[in-house]
């Protein structure tokens, strides 16, 4: 018997996460220069990193022989001060992916289940499955979370074993947004022993009026776990840093399964400085708003539909079936433009396109127009 056959069946059944194609890989495959490739595939910040973060990281280079501060004192203090929370309610992660995993590992296991929406972020089923818990995918409504159906999935579950509900708001890859009242009602309707992980990875791209007062809800709902990241608006995806906000006892639980030095020194320094760079965040949002308008206008010109999105990306319907959408994806690659197929999210006729700089968006639209003309 092979040793892999002895691994738990739920581990062997995991379908690996499919990341966006790296620029270096496409350059190798197509013989293109990296500089000629436009990557709009991973919702990265096209502006790069905040100048303040860059300076803080540079200053840190001399200290890399030392272990990082395993408690992330300075970053937690900065987050606490900014959001008006206590540092002991913060859990730092190697990306918010890490804190999603910590929540799953701390709260799930064989004999339990987690609820999430159809078309929701792929990490929720993966993190769930890795613990041996069952993932319950609830059909979406208009591509978004159907909170009433998700609540029913928890409350009417005959096994009564749901421990975690994952919600992305806005959701990736659909970009759909739940209203604050709707979310608050959902939290109030759930049993207190069911954790709600509310993933706000794209919160910084929302207009002020659309932002839920989710941090205020932490005092009301000790079962609420908020997750946020420095990978998107803050432009630090390569550094890997994110965090969770939770009731201090829940944060303590998550911290027990956390690796002692899960966030590296450069990430701690970069994130602490980035948090202070309000100007960069405002500029990122402005570039995103303008880029979204540019892409949507281009899609309209091409007669293509899309899912209205509140993130830094949009799903565009490019084909009548999965094969047609994949053909467009491949043809874009040949023109040096990387976007993201989302068939694995149950959206086989769409491609997800991240919002880039004006010239990158124009390059994508021009390539798409050429491809559709020839089809
Ligand atoms: C990108 C993304 C994250 C963040 O991942 P990191 O690990 O912080 O880079 C989390 N949730 C959703 C829904 C995302 O799209």
């Amino acid at each position: 018997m092979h040793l892999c056959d002895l691994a738990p069946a739920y581990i062997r059944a995991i379908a690996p996460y499919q990341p966006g194609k790296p620029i270096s890989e496409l350059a190798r495959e197509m013989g293109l220069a990296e500089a000629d490739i436009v990557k709009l595939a991973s919702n990265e910040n096209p502006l790069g990193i905040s100048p303040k973060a860059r300076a803080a990281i540079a200053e840190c280079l001399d200290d890399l022989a030392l272990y990082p501060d395993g408690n992330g004192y300075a970053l937690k203090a900065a987050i606490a001060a900014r959001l008006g929370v206590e540092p002991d309610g913060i859990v730092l992660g190697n990306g918010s992916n890490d804190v999603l995993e910590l929540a799953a590992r701390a709260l799930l296991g064989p004999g339990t289940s987690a609820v999430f929406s159809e078309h929701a972020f792929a990490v929720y089923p993966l993190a769930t499955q890795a613990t041996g818990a069952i993932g319950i995918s609830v059909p979406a409504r208009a591509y978004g979370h159907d909170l009433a159906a998700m609540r029913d999935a928890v409350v009417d579950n005959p096994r009564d074993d749901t421990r975690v509900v994952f919600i992305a708001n806005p959701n990736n890859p659909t970009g759909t947004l739940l209203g604050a009242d709707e979310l608050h009602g959902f939290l109030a309707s759930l049993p207190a022993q069911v954790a709600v992980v509310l993933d706000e990875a794209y919160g910084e791209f929302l207009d002020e009026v659309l932002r839920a007062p989710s941090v205020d809800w932490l005092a009301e709902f000790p079962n609420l776990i908020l997750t946020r990241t420095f990978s998107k608006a803050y432009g630090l995806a390569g550094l890997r840093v994110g965090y969770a906000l939770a009731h201090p006892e829940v944060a303590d639980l998550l911290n027990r399964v956390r690796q002692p030095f899960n966030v590296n020194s450069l990430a701690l320094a970069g994130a602490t400085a980035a948090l202070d760079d309000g100007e960069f965040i405002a500029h990122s949002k402005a570039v995103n708003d303008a880029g979204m308008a540019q892409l949507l206008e281009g899609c309209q010109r091409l007669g293509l539909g899309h899912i209205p999105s509140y993130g830094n990306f949009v799903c565009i319907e490019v084909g009548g079936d999965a094969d047609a959408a994949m053909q467009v994806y491949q043809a874009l690659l040949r023109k040096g433009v990387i976007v993201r197929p989302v068939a694995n999210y149950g959206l086989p006729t769409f491609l997800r396109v991240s919002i880039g700089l004006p010239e990158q968006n124009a390059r994508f639209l021009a390539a798409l127009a050429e491809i559709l003309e020839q089809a």
Side-chain angles (χ1 to χ4, degrees):
M1 186 177 276
H2 195 270
L3 74 89
C4 292
D5 297 328
L6 298 172
Y10 57 82
I11 297 291
R12 282 181 280 137
I14 292 174
Y17 180 78
Q18 297 173 9
K21 187 184 273 291
I23 288 176
S24 54
E25 188 177 305
L26 183 66
R28 272 196 309 277
E29 285 174 4
M30 300 278 174
L32 298 169
E34 292 196 10
D36 292 338
I37 292 173
V38 170
K39 184 183 178 211
L40 301 174
S42 300
N43 304 344
E44 293 146 336
N45 192 326
L47 294 172
I49 84 174
S50 119
K52 286 191 179 176
R54 181 185 292 274
I57 290 163
E59 226 171 275
C60 214
L61 290 174
D62 288 338
D63 299 329
L64 286 182
L66 306 178
Y67 277 100
D69 172 5
N71 287 319
Y73 178 84
L75 178 54
K76 282 191 193 173
I79 293 169
R82 170 158 297 266
L83 300 178
V85 297
E86 293 298 322
D88 63 359
I90 302 172
V91 183
L92 300 181
N94 184 33
S96 59
N97 227 295
D98 190 25
V99 291
L100 295 171
E101 297 259 358
L102 296 180
R105 203 168 338 139
L107 298 168
L108 298 173
T112 68
S113 62
V115 165
F116 39 79
S117 175
E118 179 190 18
H119 313 312
F121 189 41
V123 167
Y124 311 150
L126 286 175
T128 299
Q129 198 177 348
T131 70
I134 301 289
I136 300 173
S137 176
V138 174
R141 198 185 51 192
Y143 299 108
H145 293 60
D146 183 342
L147 289 184
M150 290 176 75
R151 180 191 165 278
D152 289 350
V154 174
V155 177
D156 300 340
N157 177 354
R159 294 188 312 273
D160 193 23
D161 64 357
T162 301
R163 298 283 180 273
V164 179
V165 177
F166 289 101
I167 294 176
N169 203 46
N171 182 47
N172 170 22
T174 56
T176 48
L177 182 75
L178 293 160
D181 290 348
E182 205 183 345
L183 263 176
H184 185 270
F186 177 76
L187 286 165
S189 78
L190 272 194
Q193 74 273 18
V194 179
V196 175
V197 175
L198 182 58
D199 178 346
E200 299 184 319
Y202 300 97
E204 292 82 7
F205 294 108
L206 293 173
D207 291 340
E208 202 71 54
V209 294
L210 292 175
R211 288 184 200 174
S214 50
V215 174
D216 297 344
W217 295 342
L218 288 164
E220 192 180 349
F221 302 109
N223 56 333
L224 175 61
I225 302 172
L226 291 179
T227 68
R228 295 181 174 183
T229 181
F230 288 93
S231 296
K232 307 287 160 55
Y234 287 96
L236 299 177
L239 272 187
R240 313 303 304 127
V241 51
Y243 61 93
L245 304 176
H247 187 279
E249 284 176 29
V250 176
D252 176 57
L253 193 71
L254 266 54
N255 272 316
R256 289 173 199 219
V257 289
R258 187 177 61 81
Q259 282 182 41
F261 304 107
N262 63 331
V263 185
N264 70 72
S265 310
L266 301 180
L268 288 171
T272 306
L275 204 57
D276 233 14
D277 199 344
E279 203 182 320
F280 181 78
I281 292 296
H283 185 43
S284 297
K285 175 165 164 37
V287 167
N288 191 63
D289 288 347
M292 180 71 85
Q294 181 189 4
L295 278 190
L296 294 186
E297 198 207 324
C299 288
Q300 197 174 17
R301 266 202 316 271
L302 295 170
L304 300 174
H306 69 278
I307 303 173
S309 170
Y310 293 87
N312 64 344
F313 54 86
V314 58
C315 279
I316 300 173
E317 188 149 41
V318 296
D321 58 36
D323 191 51
M326 210 55 197
Q327 300 277 344
V328 174
Y329 168 69
Q330 299 286 356
L332 284 167
L333 287 182
R334 288 193 291 274
K335 292 180 183 292
V337 178
I338 312 174
V339 299
R340 190 74 153 265
V342 280
N344 58 326
Y345 282 94
L347 300 164
T349 61
F350 290 87
L351 294 176
R352 192 195 68 192
V353 184
S354 304
I355 309 301
L357 298 173
E359 57 273 24
Q360 297 175 317
N361 301 329
R363 172 91 186 272
F364 159 74
L365 287 169
L368 184 60
E370 276 176 31
I371 292 162
L372 295 175
E373 254 168 43
Q374 282 157 16

